[in-house]
Amino acid sequence: MDTRPIGVFDSGLGGLTAVRSLRQILPEEQIIYFGDTARVPYGGRERETILKYARQDVRFLRSFDLKAVVIACGTISTTSLGTLQEENDLPMVGVVEPACRRALAVSEKKRVGVIATLASIRSGAYETVLRRLDPEVEVFRQSCPLFVPLVENGRFRPGDIVIETVAREYLEPLRETGIDTLILGCTHYPLLVDIIAEILGPKVTLVSAGEESAYELKRLLKSGGLWAGPAGQGGTEFYVSDRPEDFERIASVFLQEDLRHTARRIDIDQY
């Protein structure tokens, strides 16, 4: 049994979808969460900048005695995961391959859609993994660059005309392709699941990259003897790089608990 914490990081609020899944799937584990809210979004930045930010995020998390890291960011997982794994001597779980495996398991028509940030779509990572796992799959991709900033500003509730209009513009072309499965390739996107499901209809199964990474971590911890087991106390610490109050306000709604005065601000440029 290993009661050391798990590090989780994302460019902002999106990684909370992975945190929520981890709490449900691994309630006995301690989580250290970092959201780089001062530099969100990562998705439109150059690959070198994304890697620089990711390295700083990892260095901050490694100031704690961690046993594993979840990269709860589709952009980093698609552009920088391999490099980070080579540079660090602890298990790192990304969001791409677990989500792809799940999508192929549930897709009956082998017509899979992927929505993600511009950087993730440009990388071709989801398409590459899907076709490696099943060469016969048809993949339909769509970048959604406005989703992350809108979610970060609290525009993710059904009935919000701004997010609903943007979502329809992005998703209608995918609906017309006849996909039966859609990978939510950014951990911000599950916050929009009600809106996405309404547009695509009940015949399209939604796969959350953050949720699948939590299941992947559970398998890794148990097979590697790293699971906290009954001795684990559970719990989450939150760190951000910008105003904690803004993070806490939206995070409280999403996690359905009062997080006021619990998040701490750190200077990520020191790492």
Side-chain angles (χ1 to χ4, degrees):
M1 303 301 179
D2 189 333
T3 57
R4 290 179 298 166
I6 298 160
V8 181
F9 74 99
D10 179 56
S11 61
L13 286 158
L16 293 174
T17 62
V19 169
R20 185 168 69 175
S21 295
L22 285 167
R23 286 175 159 188
Q24 294 169 347
I25 296 164
L26 292 164
E28 61 283 336
E29 298 291 348
Q30 180 72 27
I31 299 168
I32 308 291
Y33 180 79
F34 172 64
D36 193 4
T37 50
R39 301 186 296 197
V40 66
Y42 285 5
R45 300 182 187 272
E46 294 293 329
R47 192 183 191 101
E48 294 76 12
T49 301
I50 295 167
L51 179 57
K52 173 188 172 183
Y53 290 175
R55 283 169 166 157
Q56 289 178 304
D57 300 344
V58 170
R59 282 195 289 268
F60 165 67
L61 285 175
R62 295 212 65 177
S63 66
F64 301 89
D65 182 21
L66 302 179
K67 62 183 176 184
V69 171
V70 175
I71 301 175
C73 176
T75 298
I76 294 173
S77 294
T78 56
T79 62
S80 309
L81 175 60
T83 300
L84 295 173
Q85 288 174 326
E86 290 174 2
E87 294 175 349
N88 291 272
D89 58 351
L90 80 170
M92 288 195 169
V93 174
V95 299
V96 178
E97 187 147 342
C100 290
R101 285 200 301 266
R102 178 62 179 168
L104 291 171
V106 300
S107 177
E108 296 180 356
K109 298 194 298 184
K110 294 188 177 183
R111 295 176 70 84
V112 176
V114 180
I115 56 174
T117 66
L118 184 59
S120 292
I121 294 299
R122 281 176 176 167
S123 76
Y126 281 99
E127 187 173 14
T128 298
V129 172
L130 284 166
R131 289 185 170 152
R132 171 169 57 79
L133 295 172
D134 186 345
E136 296 182 2
V137 68
E138 292 186 80
V139 183
F140 302 87
R141 305 180 299 166
Q142 175 65 54
S143 63
C144 303
L146 292 178
F147 274 1
V148 171
L150 285 171
V151 167
E152 290 284 331
N153 283 280
R155 310 299 293 264
F156 55 81
R157 296 173 179 82
D160 185 315
I161 191 171
V162 175
I163 188 59
E164 288 188 346
T165 300
V166 171
R168 287 193 180 278
E169 181 175 336
Y170 290 150
L171 298 174
E172 286 289 354
L174 279 178
R175 185 176 63 81
E176 293 172 2
T177 66
I179 59 170
D180 68 351
T181 306
L182 179 69
I183 295 175
L184 308 181
C186 170
T187 52
H188 284 75
Y189 297 176
L191 287 159
L192 301 169
V193 69
D194 292 338
I195 293 171
I196 294 170
E198 174 66 23
I199 295 169
L200 295 181
K203 294 183 179 180
V204 179
T205 300
L206 305 183
V207 175
S208 167
E211 182 178 13
E212 296 307 318
S213 68
Y215 282 113
E216 178 73 8
L217 179 67
K218 181 177 182 178
R219 289 190 289 268
L220 185 152
L221 294 180
K222 290 201 169 184
S223 65
L226 298 173
W227 180 47
Q233 299 297 312
T236 310
E237 295 180 25
F238 298 97
Y239 296 86
V240 294
S241 54
D242 205 350
R243 287 171 46 88
E245 298 85 357
D246 296 338
F247 172 86
E248 290 167 347
R249 176 173 50 83
I250 298 177
S252 295
V253 173
F254 183 63
L255 294 177
Q256 296 184 334
E257 63 179 277
D258 187 357
L259 296 177
R260 285 177 297 178
H261 311 300
T262 60
R264 282 170 272 184
R265 181 178 181 176
I266 61 105
D267 182 0
I268 192 62
D269 288 326
Q270 293 183 352
Y271 294 89

